[in-house]
Amino acid sequence: MLCLGRMTIRTTSETGAPIQGPSATLIYDDWYPALRTDQLKHGKLSTAMLLDIPLVLGRRADGRVFALRDTCPHRGIPLSFGWFDGNRVTCRYHGWEFEPCSGQCALIPSLTSQDKLDATRIYATAFPCEERDGHAWVYVPGAGSGRKSDSAQLPPVPDLAKFGPRYRSAHLSADLPCNVDHGIIGLMDPAHGPFVHQAWWWRSRASIREKKKKFEPIPEGFRMSAHAPSANSAPYRLLGVYGRPVETTIDFTLPNRRTEVIRCGHKWFSSLTTVTPVTASTCRIDVVAAWNVLYFVPFFTPIAKFFGAKFVRQDQETMIQQAQGLRHNPSLMLIDDADKPAKWYFALKQARLDGSGKHPMSGLVELHWRS
Ligand code: FES
Ligand SMILES: [Fe+2]
């Protein structure tokens, strides 16, 4: 689904069956955006699927967001069918009550004074959950790694970089019918631009020319070193109106994050794009962006959202088509240099999964391609 205000596109085939390709190995023990926190209304429970885990999310009366596995530990009915009064989630089957941030059971209504069972020793599965940039970020531990209750002992919650108190912001998202690996390598693939994103306001096929970009290793990722952005793309030219050199830095870090920062004097644009596994064979792309560029230009935010949505939709439509091919499990290729970032992604992911921590890059690399 692509959401922009009320605009929605579903990623299903004409028959209504969801299109999906082969599954991917998932990375656990990290933060993922589960849903937008503007969906968490007072006293209401919302559901989301994250890494094949059904979640129920909400906002406590004190404002704190929470995420529980959407399963009652008693007999498995989804807790989302129950009630939430702002402090406790009540299961609709036998009325067990849970404190939703810890998951601790607070009441079992059927117990009598004869019973020895201590309800507070029972827990629904609660996941660390934090709100940033309108995302409810959920930490998904690997199987058997135990209950994680203290966010302070976890890696930092991802945050969109901002360079001052005054900015505008926007969010876009689209469901992709392919596994997270295809979503991510689509994100870092420079060669599809002139074909998928052809538009008068972005670039045309005729504007293809040779590019060279420098990349450097960063922890669990790589950075396209600061450079002047493509002179042949109109939105970047817009930033040039301030008459100062424009610099862009793009980072990719595991498990799924691309951050881009464009700075021009005191003007800036920043975005955080994530491709999140919904299931092992489907994913969702989210873009959150903030900027102080053209802050006072009326309608700039809706216009930017309109073009951003169009851009994301072009990727989405292409991936829906790609998923039709992937269903048949074809063998695929990654070529140098245009697919080199995708190769680094797979190597970084492998190093995370096998715990070797081995980085595929030993230093600065210059890549060349035409786009
Ligand atoms: S299944 Fe939830 S209280 Fe029994
Ligand atoms: Fe794209």
Side-chain angles (χ1 to χ4, degrees):
M1 209 184 342
L2 180 106
C3 310
L4 174 77
R6 255 157 234 104
M7 205 162 83
T8 297
I9 307 165
R10 291 202 172 273
T11 51
T12 50
S13 67
E14 303 85 297
T15 59
I19 307 169
Q20 53 184 50
S23 56
T25 310
L26 303 179
I27 295 179
Y28 293 89
D29 297 309
D30 221 319
W31 294 97
Y32 290 97
L35 52 62
R36 297 295 292 168
T37 52
D38 56 9
Q39 293 178 41
L40 302 178
K41 299 281 177 339
H42 184 71
K44 198 179 147 256
L45 296 171
S46 299
T47 59
M49 185 68 85
L50 188 62
L51 281 72
D52 265 325
I53 301 167
L55 297 177
V56 55
L57 298 101
R59 186 188 291 282
R60 256 183 5 189
D62 65 358
R64 230 181 115 184
V65 293
F66 63 84
L68 294 166
R69 180 183 274 273
D70 194 11
T71 310
C72 179
H74 181 209
R75 295 254 282 285
I77 194 170
L79 290 168
S80 55
F81 290 132
W83 300 276
F84 175 51
D85 66 358
N87 292 305
R88 288 183 183 181
V89 171
T90 304
C91 179
R92 67 153 292 138
Y93 205 169
H94 311 95
W96 291 20
E97 292 184 14
F98 301 93
E99 193 298 301
C101 289
S102 64
Q104 188 175 35
C105 185
L107 180 75
I108 298 182
S110 63
L111 293 184
T112 69
S113 54
Q114 309 292 305
D115 282 295
K116 298 270 173 325
L117 178 65
D118 177 5
T120 61
R121 296 179 61 135
I122 297 172
Y123 283 82
T125 307
F127 296 89
C129 182
E130 299 286 339
E131 187 171 15
R132 297 276 190 290
D133 303 307
H135 283 320
W137 290 91
V138 172
Y139 186 87
V140 186
S145 62
R147 184 160 359 115
K148 299 276 190 294
S149 48
D150 190 1
S151 290
Q153 288 174 8
L154 299 173
V157 184
D159 216 350
L160 175 66
K162 296 155 203 102
F163 303 92
R166 278 157 74 89
Y167 56 84
R168 302 207 182 274
S169 61
H171 164 255
L172 288 167
S173 94
D175 287 333
L176 302 176
C178 54
N179 75 41
V180 66
D181 291 338
H182 285 290
I184 285 177
I185 66 177
L187 186 72
M188 57 181 56
D189 163 14
H192 75 283
F195 299 91
V196 171
H197 302 299
Q198 279 184 56
W200 62 266
W201 50 271
W202 184 249
R203 56 178 62 161
S204 69
R205 254 191 238 195
S207 72
I208 290 189
R209 59 192 179 82
E210 191 159 325
K211 307 268 171 62
K212 68 170 187 235
K213 297 276 160 64
K214 288 196 175 64
F215 289 82
E216 58 192 283
I218 56 175
E220 293 220 291
F222 49 87
R223 168 170 297 165
M224 188 192 281
S225 313
H227 65 282
S230 306
N232 60 352
S233 60
Y236 285 159
R237 275 206 302 267
L238 263 180
L239 291 161
V241 297
Y242 295 97
R244 304 247 208 124
V246 182
E247 265 205 349
T248 303
T249 305
I250 300 174
D251 285 358
F252 173 80
T253 43
L254 287 180
N256 66 345
R257 296 166 209 149
R258 177 193 191 272
T259 58
E260 176 163 6
V261 173
I262 306 173
R263 300 196 72 166
C264 172
H266 60 284
K267 294 289 173 184
W268 55 272
F269 170 92
S270 164
S271 67
L272 168 62
T273 305
T274 46
V275 180
T276 298
V278 175
T279 68
S281 56
T282 60
C283 60
R284 187 191 66 248
I285 182 168
D286 287 284
V287 186
V288 285
W291 61 87
N292 74 347
V293 192
L294 303 175
Y295 186 84
F296 295 107
V297 177
F299 308 120
F300 183 68
T301 302
I303 292 168
K305 273 190 111 171
F306 173 80
F307 287 119
K310 195 158 171 170
F311 199 86
V312 170
R313 192 161 156 187
Q314 289 166 336
D315 283 322
Q316 185 193 36
E317 283 168 355
T318 308
M319 288 186 193
I320 290 170
Q321 293 171 343
Q322 183 192 20
Q324 293 193 22
L326 294 176
R327 263 191 301 197
H328 309 289
N329 242 325
S331 57
L332 307 170
M333 307 183 214
L334 294 173
I335 64 164
D336 287 331
D337 276 354
D339 294 334
K340 194 80 186 177
K343 291 184 179 181
W344 291 332
Y345 162 67
F346 282 114
L348 287 162
K349 181 174 177 179
Q350 192 50 49
R352 164 78 85 99
L353 292 172
D354 63 25
S356 72
K358 206 169 154 262
H359 203 291
M361 303 167 73
S362 52
L364 201 68
V365 178
E366 190 173 87
L367 299 185
H368 300 251
W369 65 75
R370 285 168 51 79
S371 69

